[in-house]
Amino acid sequence: MIMVTEHSDAVGDTTALALKILVAGGFGVGKTTLVGAVSEIRPLRTEELLSEAGQLVDDTDGVDQKVTTTVAMDFGRITIRSGLSLYLFGTPGQDRFWFLWDELSQGALGAVVLADTRRLEDCFPAVDYFEHRRIPFVVAVNCFAGARTHGAHDVSRALDLDQGTPVVLCDARDRDSGKEVLIRLVEYAGRIHTARLLDSVG
């Protein structure tokens, strides 16, 4: 079931929709950054400092400068257009927190899987998770400075994505770039859910 929240807009007295979106991906890929960049409200964050104990279980290779990690979720909100808002839930990246994913994914319209081409294998678990649960998703390649540039087709093939799954390039720090990713997801997820609805009544 997809979470659709309706509320009255006092200005025009119109009904506004709010849809739930997940932002997932590997450790240190930029999930917290993306939610914070696009959110029109102060984002809720559950970050903690990385500890020596965590070094035994968290792979920080390639993200050596990272000093904090999300331990529950990030939360933000963005208005895509009049009458349509997205509630963004950023998932924790480490596998020791994956038990939270089932709760966070309840009622989600779709998901953004952030990918870093330097650590592409880190997003495999998220891709598998959403494919197995038939949750529509787009892969957003976060273009880090100094990383080799790969085209969308190359990334799609490397991840062995189902045909039609969108792959987009983005900068998780940039609000407009992040908003374009979310618009692409809403459009894609809308088509998928509509097609499923038609199939169910056909």
Side-chain angles (χ1 to χ4, degrees):
M1 177 179 288
I2 299 171
M3 184 190 81
V4 180
T5 303
E6 298 184 358
H7 61 273
S8 178
D9 183 351
V11 177
D13 199 26
T14 59
T15 299
L17 296 179
L19 302 173
K20 182 178 183 180
I21 301 295
L22 298 185
V23 179
F27 178 64
V29 76
K31 300 179 295 295
T32 298
T33 300
L34 176 65
V35 173
V38 301
S39 181
E40 61 200 16
I41 62 173
R42 183 177 179 179
L44 168 68
R45 292 177 173 155
T46 57
E47 288 197 304
E48 295 292 340
L49 289 172
L50 291 172
S51 65
E52 289 185 10
Q55 291 177 0
L56 301 175
V57 290
D58 296 330
D59 179 12
T60 58
D61 185 37
V63 285
D64 309 82
Q65 303 304 311
K66 187 172 175 61
V67 296
T68 62
T69 185
T70 299
V71 296
M73 68 173 187
D74 299 309
F75 174 77
R77 186 190 72 208
I78 180 174
T79 300
I80 296 296
R81 58 172 172 75
S82 178
L84 176 60
S85 297
L86 304 182
Y87 290 162
L88 308 176
F89 292 80
T91 65
Q94 306 99 307
D95 50 5
R96 59 194 166 110
F97 295 124
W98 282 348
F99 67 92
L100 294 170
W101 285 36
D102 287 338
E103 288 293 328
L104 291 175
S105 65
Q106 290 294 320
L109 173 76
V112 173
V113 175
L114 271 177
D116 177 354
T117 56
R118 300 169 302 178
R119 296 161 51 106
L120 198 57
E121 67 281 359
D122 287 2
C123 70
F124 274 114
V127 168
D128 289 342
Y129 183 91
F130 297 123
E131 283 185 345
H132 289 147
R133 287 160 181 77
R134 301 183 73 231
I135 298 175
F137 67 94
V138 301
V139 173
V141 180
N142 194 6
C143 298
F144 287 89
R148 182 181 171 189
T149 302
H150 294 272
H153 178 72
D154 293 334
V155 172
S156 178
R157 187 171 54 186
L159 293 175
D160 194 26
L161 298 176
D162 291 340
Q163 186 174 5
T165 301
V167 177
V168 295
L169 306 182
C170 75
D171 181 344
R173 303 165 299 179
D174 182 77
R175 187 175 195 274
D176 289 339
S177 180
K179 186 174 180 179
E180 285 301 315
V181 170
L182 295 171
I183 290 172
R184 184 75 178 273
L185 170 63
V186 170
E187 293 173 344
Y188 173 66
R191 292 195 301 270
I192 294 295
H193 287 297
T194 299
R196 290 175 183 170
L197 180 61
L198 293 175
D199 285 343
S200 69
V201 298

